[in-house]
Amino acid sequence: MSDHEKWVVVGGGMMGLTAALHLAKAGRSVTIVESDPKLGGLAASCSLGNIHWDRFYHVILSSDDHLRGLLASLGLDEEIRFHRTKTGLHIDGRLQSISTPAELLACRDIPWTAKFGLGRAILASMRETSIDDLDAQTALDWLNRHSGKKAVDTIWRPLLRSKLGTSMDEASALFIWSTLRRLYGVGAGRFGSGQFGYVDGGYRRILSALEDKLVQLGVTILHNWPVADIRSVDRRHTLSSSGQPDIQADRVVLTIPGPHAARACADLTAQESKRMAETDFLGVICLSLLLDRPITDFYVTNLIDEGGAFTGIIEMTNLIEPAIFGGRHLIYLPLYLRSDDPRFTHDDRNITETFTTYLAKLIPGFSSENILAARVNRAAKVFATPHVGRAGNIPEFRTTVPGLYVLNGSQIVGGTMNVNETVRHAEEGMASLFKEVTAVEKPMPAVRLWSQSRPWEDRLAHLENDLLVKGLKQLQLLPGSGDKVLDIGCGPGITAERLKDHVHSYVGLDVSITALARARSRIGAAENVVFLPLDHSSPSKLDVINGQRFTFILCNSVIQYLPDVASIKFLFESMKDVGEPTARIVVGDIPVRSRFIREAMLAWAQGIRAGFPLQALTGLIKRAFSHFFRVIPAERPITHNLAELTKAARDAGFELEVFPVPARPSGNRVSLVCRPAKATT
């Protein structure tokens, strides 16, 4: 990457501004194009009467390391004002405080079983680490298992409904897990008291400081510049906007929602466009009120009753001193909806009347006479609907168009949609694009993976990869400079790291979002490497590669774990379809016989060899439970052996050669080299 390349960042929200900041600090020439008259996106401010504050409610948590790092680079971190807030609950027509554990336990309208179930769910969210498992189950199923039916019916279901509306039933457990970890990870939350913070002036001041910093670094900012079309020819990109001169760029980072990106970029593949365009969103209608009196003692009041006009009460002046607003009181009344909900088209007067009428029913003594100013703000695309399986179907950062990248909130997995997560995602996107971006005034936090990084797992993966490479060398099958490599079950990117400088191109596929995150972090800016997610429910389908063909296909320690023989045969057929006629296909590490106990003990021995005996023993116990009792689905046992796999390969039309895996002391593993069978006459 040249320092003289011209970059364009499309979108002036917090995602785009953070990306542009890191590019500019790394010495790149950057232009930001924003469709609105001002920067900020969802974090932008607006006027309400004679005050100016955020359009939507935002707070800063003490654990928001990425956001606080950004604020520190702007000289604002020391100006964050933290206060302890209270939380309320409106249930069965009454407003009650649940700001402390004692108050929650004393709440008469919540059954004791629901109270204990609430605590169990919070504790479970601290323990769960498998993103893939969480993404494969619904939030309600996860909550029923960890919290109990009474807690779900009394608390969780109404809260999910208030945040997700009609999308509640399809939401994955990953959504509720992420929410609980963010809120309770700092001892704060909707059902507890906690420290929340803000900067004087709100996001208007933060955005002003950020814009000044960008201009100081030489960034060009174009307002009122909606992108209509992006055309890419020979690694050059032309951006067009109605009534504006075209902009030429070497690289483009799109931080706008996927459907907008799909419409603008005609050179994307059909599958890329489809994936972006079909991302469904939840939006929000939010009424801001400036009042002459407070209405509660709480920063957040959760509404449990079904059928309300809005889904919660956020009283900002129970966090911010009312004196900042001249002694007046600021509240937000949000309603979360699907982006296509017809209520987005209702006029402001109708929304204001509906919301304030309902507020008067909830709060004794409140009336329209207390309202000094009112304003309705809408955003149809706030965050991607967190439905089951979404983590396995997110758009890639790198597109198939060289130099064209997509970086938006729909790619955030294992986190909630808030400013800290937005900043984090932008930082990690830039870090994965080119490593020198991290050389900024304040060192960027290390890339945080979506599940905990486990060095012992990486060490074991390296040992397994050593055996793989040794075997390929012995078979004289190592791919070379002309090879287009497809790696099915690429894991954390160790094979990609070894091959990327020696092959023409590399595409890695995996069902594990966690593994793909590690792989992207490991590889960084390799233009010839792409990682793509496989569908959890159909891991044998390779349609994600969108018609590409390969000269070398690797499927190591994967195929024996597929659920049935039909899936195995289908994967063999899929590999045949995507391989060139002369492609070499290596299916590695196949068990000759089902020797569970011997295999498990050897796995433990390998863990000891890697220097992590305790973790290896834990893995052995989990595998044993999985094998004998089927109680831990994440630890799927080996279900197929060599005889079944070779039959499936021959049925799919392959000729086979069988080779032992070198350095396997058990003698129970072999590799298959598959070539399409010659047609007979």
Side-chain angles (χ1 to χ4, degrees):
M1 264 179 233
S2 167
D3 289 346
H4 303 294
E5 287 180 327
K6 182 174 182 179
W7 290 71
V8 172
V9 176
V10 179
M14 288 299 296
M15 187 85 71
L17 297 177
T18 303
L21 179 65
H22 285 282
L23 287 168
K25 284 182 174 181
R28 299 317 192 252
S29 171
V30 185
T31 296
I32 299 171
V33 295
E34 167 57 42
S35 60
D36 286 346
K38 58 185 177 181
L39 301 176
L42 294 172
S45 60
C46 66
S47 60
L48 179 64
N50 60 357
I51 73 166
H52 209 99
W53 201 257
D54 307 339
R55 293 170 59 208
F56 304 105
Y57 54 97
H58 301 285
V59 294
I60 303 168
L61 275 62
S62 58
S63 62
D64 284 349
D65 294 336
H66 297 271
L67 175 56
R68 295 187 66 180
L70 173 63
L71 295 179
S73 72
L74 302 175
L76 297 177
D77 187 48
E78 297 299 321
E79 298 187 32
I80 302 174
R81 299 173 181 262
F82 284 104
H83 296 287
R84 186 162 296 279
T85 62
K86 295 182 178 181
T87 300
L89 182 70
H90 194 280
I91 182 171
D92 291 337
R94 290 186 295 187
L95 187 63
Q96 302 189 49
S97 177
I98 52 170
S99 302
T100 66
E103 288 180 340
L104 176 60
L105 291 173
C107 182
R108 292 174 296 168
D109 295 308
I110 300 177
W112 278 98
T113 52
K115 294 171 184 175
F116 286 118
L118 174 65
R120 289 201 308 272
I122 294 170
L123 290 175
S125 73
M126 299 300 108
R127 295 193 303 266
E128 295 272 7
T129 56
S130 174
I131 300 296
D132 302 315
D133 286 351
L134 291 165
D135 185 53
Q137 58 186 303
T138 69
L140 289 174
D141 286 344
W142 186 88
L143 287 167
N144 269 305
R145 186 167 69 254
H146 290 290
S147 196
K149 186 176 185 302
K150 182 63 73 174
V152 169
D153 292 342
T154 306
I155 300 171
W156 294 119
R157 189 183 299 274
L159 289 179
L160 283 172
R161 185 188 304 114
S162 71
K163 187 70 174 180
L164 302 176
T166 57
S167 301
M168 169 188 67
D169 292 328
E170 62 194 69
S172 77
L174 190 54
F175 172 78
I176 193 68
W177 176 85
S178 304
T179 302
L180 290 174
R181 286 178 75 87
R182 169 170 163 78
L183 293 175
Y184 288 92
V186 293
R190 296 184 186 276
F191 291 101
S193 58
Q195 292 276 354
F196 294 103
Y198 66 95
V199 172
D200 281 344
Y203 270 88
R204 183 187 190 187
R205 183 166 179 223
I206 294 171
L207 289 166
S208 176
L210 184 50
E211 184 172 6
D212 290 345
K213 184 72 169 180
L214 289 166
V215 172
Q216 178 187 336
L217 291 169
V219 175
T220 300
I221 301 174
L222 302 178
H223 303 272
N224 298 307
W225 214 99
V227 172
D229 182 63
I230 300 175
R231 294 285 175 177
S232 304
V233 179
D234 295 331
R235 295 180 178 267
R236 291 284 293 172
H237 311 283
T238 302
L239 291 80
S240 303
S241 182
S242 178
Q244 303 280 2
D246 289 352
I247 298 176
Q248 302 293 322
D250 298 293
R251 297 179 187 270
V252 178
V253 180
L254 295 156
T255 66
I256 55 180
H260 299 172
R263 285 195 297 270
C265 303
D267 296 309
L268 296 172
T269 65
Q271 184 162 354
E272 282 176 314
S273 294
K274 183 173 183 288
R275 178 174 289 177
M276 293 180 194
E278 290 183 350
T279 304
D280 53 329
F281 287 85
L282 288 168
V284 66
I285 298 172
C286 189
L287 175 64
S288 302
L289 295 176
L290 193 63
L291 307 179
D292 63 2
R293 51 156 286 191
I295 58 174
T296 73
D297 294 327
F298 313 115
Y299 169 66
V300 174
T301 300
N302 297 283
L303 305 181
I304 296 295
D305 301 326
E306 188 174 352
F310 48 86
T311 52
I313 301 172
I314 313 297
E315 193 159 356
M316 288 300 297
T317 36
N318 285 329
L319 168 64
I320 302 169
E321 292 293 333
I324 292 177
F325 302 127
R328 289 159 292 183
H329 300 264
L330 173 62
I331 69 168
Y332 294 95
L333 306 176
L335 173 64
Y336 290 92
L337 304 164
R338 295 183 69 94
S339 59
D340 58 357
D341 194 289
R343 281 172 285 186
F344 277 108
T345 64
H346 290 186
D347 62 68
D348 289 0
R349 179 176 296 181
N350 176 275
I351 291 171
T352 301
E353 182 178 347
T354 301
F355 280 32
T356 54
T357 299
Y358 184 59
L359 184 63
K361 292 180 180 179
L362 299 176
I363 306 299
F366 170 79
S367 73
S368 59
E369 295 180 357
N370 299 121
I371 301 173
L372 303 175
R375 179 172 184 140
V376 176
N377 288 298
R378 301 172 178 81
K381 292 180 173 63
V382 175
F383 60 97
T385 306
H387 53 73
V388 169
R390 188 183 74 84
N393 196 39
I394 60 174
E396 275 288 299
F397 174 42
R398 291 177 178 85
T399 72
T400 55
V401 180
L404 184 67
Y405 311 97
V406 174
L407 185 71
N408 59 36
S410 67
Q411 298 163 329
I412 294 176
V413 176
T416 60
M417 189 60 184
N418 55 71
V419 179
N420 184 67
E421 284 296 315
T422 299
V423 172
R424 177 194 66 80
H425 186 61
E427 290 177 341
E428 292 181 5
M430 293 298 100
S432 73
L433 184 58
F434 58 102
K435 293 180 180 178
E436 63 265 33
V437 152
T438 58
V440 295
E441 296 171 7
K442 178 181 181 296
M444 265 183 19
V447 174
R448 180 175 62 79
L449 300 174
W450 291 327
S451 69
Q452 294 178 355
S453 178
R454 298 171 179 173
W456 66 277
E457 289 183 346
D458 272 355
R459 184 86 65 84
L460 287 174
H462 272 97
L463 290 173
E464 291 287 340
N465 195 260
D466 289 340
L467 296 182
L468 169 66
V469 172
K470 184 175 181 180
L472 291 176
K473 284 181 178 178
Q474 288 185 5
L475 300 176
Q476 297 183 335
L477 285 172
L478 269 180
S481 59
D483 278 311
K484 299 177 181 179
V485 177
L486 175 65
D487 187 359
I488 303 169
C490 63
I494 295 170
T495 302
E497 187 176 38
R498 291 186 170 184
L499 295 182
K500 64 183 176 69
D501 295 328
H502 307 287
V503 300
H504 177 273
S505 61
Y506 173 99
V507 175
L509 309 179
D510 210 289
V511 295
S512 170
I513 301 305
T514 302
L516 291 176
R518 291 182 183 178
R520 294 186 184 103
S521 175
R522 182 187 305 279
I523 297 304
E527 290 288 345
N528 64 334
V529 176
V530 174
F531 296 103
L532 300 172
L534 286 171
D535 188 345
H536 267 285
S537 60
S538 304
S540 299
K541 289 185 178 180
L542 304 182
D543 51 358
V544 68
I545 63 175
N546 197 39
Q548 297 179 65
R549 295 180 71 82
F550 302 88
T551 60
F552 185 92
I553 300 174
L554 176 64
C555 182
N556 192 61
S557 194
V558 169
I559 204 162
Q560 63 265 35
Y561 297 99
L562 292 177
D564 50 56
V565 174
S567 299
I568 293 170
K569 183 182 176 184
F570 187 84
L571 180 55
F572 275 116
E573 291 171 344
S574 299
M575 288 191 288
K576 186 177 179 181
D577 289 341
V578 302
E580 297 284 1
T582 58
R584 294 100 73 211
I585 301 174
V586 178
V587 181
D589 206 33
I590 298 170
V592 177
R593 292 168 294 278
S594 299
R595 293 178 173 176
F596 169 75
I597 294 177
R598 187 173 184 183
E599 286 287 324
M601 295 303 294
L602 285 168
W604 184 26
Q606 198 165 9
I608 294 172
R609 177 184 168 197
F612 298 94
L614 181 59
Q615 293 90 336
L617 179 61
T618 302
L620 171 64
I621 294 170
K622 291 174 71 176
R623 287 177 184 274
F625 269 83
S626 175
H627 183 79
F628 293 112
F629 301 108
R630 301 295 194 268
V631 295
I632 306 177
E635 298 290 335
R636 177 180 290 170
I638 296 170
T639 55
H640 306 285
N641 57 30
L642 178 63
E644 294 172 299
L645 299 178
T646 53
K647 183 179 185 304
R650 291 191 174 102
D651 289 346
F654 283 107
E655 293 179 348
L656 306 175
E657 295 179 76
V658 180
F659 297 92
V661 174
R664 272 289 194 181
S666 69
N668 192 42
R669 295 298 178 99
V670 298
S671 292
L672 295 180
V673 179
C674 310
R675 294 181 175 88
K678 297 177 181 177
T680 57
T681 57

